Amino acid sequence: MPRQFSVSPDGRRVLFVRTGSGSDPVGRLWQHEGGEERLLADPVLLVGGGSEDVPEEERLRRERARERSVGVVGYATDDAVRVVAFALSGALWLVRTDGGAPFTVPAAGPVVDPRPSPDGRYIAYVSGRALHVVGLDGDDRQLARPEGPEVSYGLAEYIAAESMSRSRGYWWAPDGRGLLVARVDTSPVARRYLSDPADPARPPQVIRYPSAGTANAEVTLHLLTLDGGRTEVSWDRARYEYVVDAGWDAHGPFVAVQSRNQRVLRTLAVDPLTGATEVRHERTDPTWVELVPGTPARTASGGLVLPEDDGDTRCLTVDGRRVTPEGLQLRAVLGVEGERVLFTASQDPTETHVWRHEPGAGCRRLSGDPGVWTGVGRGGTTVLAGLTPRGHEVRVVQDGDGPAQRSSLGIASLAEEPVIVPRQLHLTLGERELRAVLYFPSWYRQGTGKLPVLLDPYGGPSLQLAVRARGWTSGVSQWFAEQGFAVLVTDGRGTPGRGPVWEKAVYGDLLGPALEDQVDAVRAVGERFPDLDLGRVAIRGWSFGGFLAAAAVLHRPDVFHAAVAGAPPTDQRMYDTHWKERFLGHPDEQPENYAHSSLTGHGHLLRRPLMLIHGLADDNVAVAHTLRFSAELLAAGRPHTVLPLPGATHLPADDAVNANLLRVQRDFLTDALPAPEEGPTGR
């Protein structure tokens, strides 16, 4: 699928990355202009084949981004979108969009995250945890050298990349004469050792992982000039240890910092000469301040672009003024051009659309059809990329056009069509108006017999599945339906898109409200569809969904009769600081929140069939979550099934493994929910 779009200042050219086909993992760099596409860089021709030897830092970056492709997986451009930099097999490559073949620039070592200066004269990159700048003539200078093995410059720490959506560690000054750079010291962070039980001769990998309640990495910011100058940015790091985001625009450097308890978020203006900071805005909340991607930002006139929670609406504010109406939930700020702000927001939680605010014109929705849309805009051109009920679509629209429809100029997706097309029945269930999707087998006819029910939720913060879009999760749900289940997917309290009150209903209790909503949903759908057999109800899920599935058979065996839990975080104290402390507080101060929101300590309650699946190389939810919980179940005499996946990370990448995982789950659930003597046929 086309992704990672950049638009030239005049709006005429669009850059993007796309692999060769649905079965080709090699990302290639393309330019779209005047309705035609031109290939800018093909890694197969440049380095041969699709395999890569990438630096360890880059490998970790890709794993955290759930990146499965190879080749050109990311790039950066100068302000004019004329010079493009990318890394291939650790080498620094450049290509000019106005013609010519890609070429390499000598670098000090394996290259991570190369980014051109705004004027295109220099390329900054990280190598060996040091920050370098190289001219197009090959003149390389090291601006920051790590003082020890636990220090890096220009890279995002684990917490920033995994829980704050900040993947960057440095930002160019608009004039290209300096950079704002993050220095990360991981020496205070506890170590984990990720070994491979399938290969006992292989040394373990050291993981710096800050579990809830433990020390985070120490992050400082520094202003570096190309001539070797260095100034540290000063703020109250004891109170505000999290660097949420940063940037440097025409008004100077800025940074957003957050307190450890996440109840205060400050936007600071930075003096580029002294490093002194001044508070420009402060957001507070008695639970937590939600981080909105793309904020803070500033307009050309210097107005701060920020979110603000007003009752049950998350608004967009510009220069202190709310510019979005009640009920329109801000999701992300996509970019600022002049005084225009491009953003995504939801009126209906099952859809996300691209909007634009402009002084004097107000807010205007740019995406038309139902779906989950995002985009990028510049120079009067907006690229809209969305998952719709038909699949993935990309449209290029110009100012003055109405909401984009299928007739708009598009960029082709080469993704394969699914073998099974999801048949989504969107529902609103129960007194809390839970948004849900029900999937029936394509072969099933109403009244021919009762179907067992399979719940297939995520059900937790940051992710929705009950949306008007055809993605891989909806394809999996439909596949289980074709095996003979009525599959129900419900987004309960804590999921995004329905406003601050809905999101924060899980504060202090990540389990209770989420599980209650799944129970209410299955009962409500059973009342509406008498063909559903509520005497045979199973639940499956991955990550938070796996946690929810296992909790369902522990705490509500009266409703759920079998579960499959993939990569479940069974002990909330073992997950990372920023994510878990956001919802449950500090474990030393509120241990009861962790106790009742964990599966550990409740294993003796198991009375139903439970399968636990976990990748042995998972550095997000460590396999210790499953192994310790399994030991607890065994000690309590509770039979269960454990399926370890050697070499698999949090989301297994092997297609054959994933295909067979579906079959294994199907067979386990079918055996756990024996069909009555007479039932539906046609599987």
Side-chain angles (χ1 to χ4, degrees), residues 565-650:
T570 62
D571 184 346
Q572 305 293 0
R573 294 189 67 136
M574 290 176 60
Y575 205 74
D576 75 56
T577 51
H578 193 270
W579 190 254
K580 286 306 174 189
E581 292 174 18
R582 178 185 313 175
F583 309 109
L584 300 177
H586 195 288
D588 293 346
E589 299 169 1
Q590 296 170 290
E592 68 282 359
N593 292 348
Y594 287 80
H596 63 238
S597 294
S598 294
L599 304 180
T600 52
H602 304 283
H604 62 282
L605 299 175
L606 184 65
R607 298 291 190 277
R608 299 294 192 184
L610 170 63
M611 171 180 281
L612 301 169
I613 306 172
H614 218 123
L616 298 181
D618 193 336
D619 65 351
N620 181 11
V621 181
V623 69
H625 283 270
T626 283
L627 297 181
R628 292 182 182 182
F629 187 56
S630 173
E632 178 183 327
L633 293 173
L634 185 61
R638 304 305 181 201
H640 61 286
T641 300
V642 177
L643 179 60
L645 305 176
T649 56
H650 190 55

Side-chain angles (χ1 to χ4, degrees), residues 122-465:
Y122 302 99
I123 311 296
Y125 66 91
V126 179
S127 183
R129 295 175 288 106
L131 184 73
H132 292 253
V133 169
V134 61
L136 301 188
D137 58 0
D139 179 23
D140 191 286
R141 65 193 80 176
Q142 187 181 76
L143 295 190
R145 179 197 304 265
E147 296 84 357
E150 303 299 332
V151 176
S152 65
Y153 283 91
L155 296 174
E157 72 277 17
Y158 178 89
I159 285 295
E162 190 67 43
S163 297
M164 299 182 199
S165 300
R166 176 171 65 81
S167 60
R168 298 181 60 177
Y170 70 90
W171 300 264
W172 275 102
D175 61 7
R177 297 179 181 178
L179 304 99
L180 177 64
V181 181
R183 178 187 185 271
V184 176
D185 182 357
T186 60
S187 57
V189 182
R191 301 307 191 254
R192 290 182 176 179
Y193 300 90
L194 191 62
S195 62
D196 183 0
D199 185 3
R202 184 178 180 181
Q205 178 185 354
V206 179
I207 304 295
R208 297 160 182 82
Y209 192 97
S211 302
T214 67
N216 285 305
E218 294 182 355
V219 182
T220 56
L221 292 173
H222 301 261
L223 297 158
L224 307 182
T225 60
L226 299 192
D227 59 6
R230 175 168 174 163
T231 303
E232 183 171 353
V233 178
S234 61
W235 76 92
D236 187 355
R237 291 197 297 112
R239 291 188 61 189
Y240 303 98
E241 64 179 89
Y242 290 126
V243 176
V244 172
D245 208 349
W248 198 333
D249 58 19
H251 302 281
F254 61 91
V255 59
V257 295
Q258 190 178 39
S259 59
R260 176 71 182 246
N261 65 14
Q262 302 185 49
R263 294 174 184 170
V264 183
L265 178 67
R266 284 184 166 182
T267 299
L268 309 177
V270 181
D271 186 319
L273 298 178
T274 67
T277 56
E278 179 184 353
V279 178
R280 290 296 175 86
H281 190 271
E282 181 175 280
R283 293 173 60 204
T284 62
D285 192 278
T287 55
W288 75 83
V289 175
E290 182 69 17
L291 305 183
V292 175
T295 64
R298 286 190 287 207
T299 65
S301 63
L304 276 174
V305 178
L306 293 166
E308 180 179 302
D309 290 354
D310 180 15
D312 200 21
T313 299
R314 179 157 296 131
C315 305
L316 174 69
T317 69
V318 179
D319 200 20
R321 185 172 62 89
R322 297 172 191 169
V323 299
T324 50
E326 182 179 358
L328 182 63
Q329 306 292 350
L330 176 67
R331 307 296 290 269
V333 171
L334 304 175
V336 178
E337 183 184 21
E339 301 302 313
R340 288 180 167 185
V341 180
L342 196 70
F343 63 98
T344 53
S346 298
Q347 291 170 304
D348 178 342
T350 67
E351 300 182 24
T352 299
H353 286 282
V354 176
W355 294 71
R356 184 174 66 212
H357 173 265
E358 186 173 7
C363 292
R364 175 187 170 204
R365 197 175 100 177
L366 303 183
S367 51
D369 290 349
V372 178
W373 293 90
T374 186
V376 60
R378 202 175 181 196
T381 295
T382 305
V383 180
L384 302 173
L387 281 175
T388 76
R390 295 175 298 275
H392 187 263
E393 300 181 21
V394 178
R395 302 169 190 172
V396 182
V397 299
Q398 307 298 324
D399 281 1
D401 294 346
Q405 303 297 330
R406 275 177 282 176
S407 59
S408 302
L409 187 65
I411 295 176
S413 172
L414 305 182
E416 294 181 1
E417 285 296 303
V419 176
I420 295 174
V421 178
R423 301 157 58 92
Q424 296 182 320
L425 178 60
H426 286 269
L427 304 170
T428 300
L429 301 173
E431 62 180 11
R432 283 185 291 278
E433 299 184 338
L434 300 166
R435 300 316 197 266
V437 181
L438 184 61
Y439 300 82
F440 281 109
S442 60
W443 44 262
Y444 185 69
R445 298 296 176 265
Q446 186 175 354
T448 60
K450 284 187 172 291
L451 290 170
V453 182
L454 174 62
L455 275 67
D456 194 12
Y458 179 79
S462 83
L463 181 63
Q464 293 173 269
L465 297 184

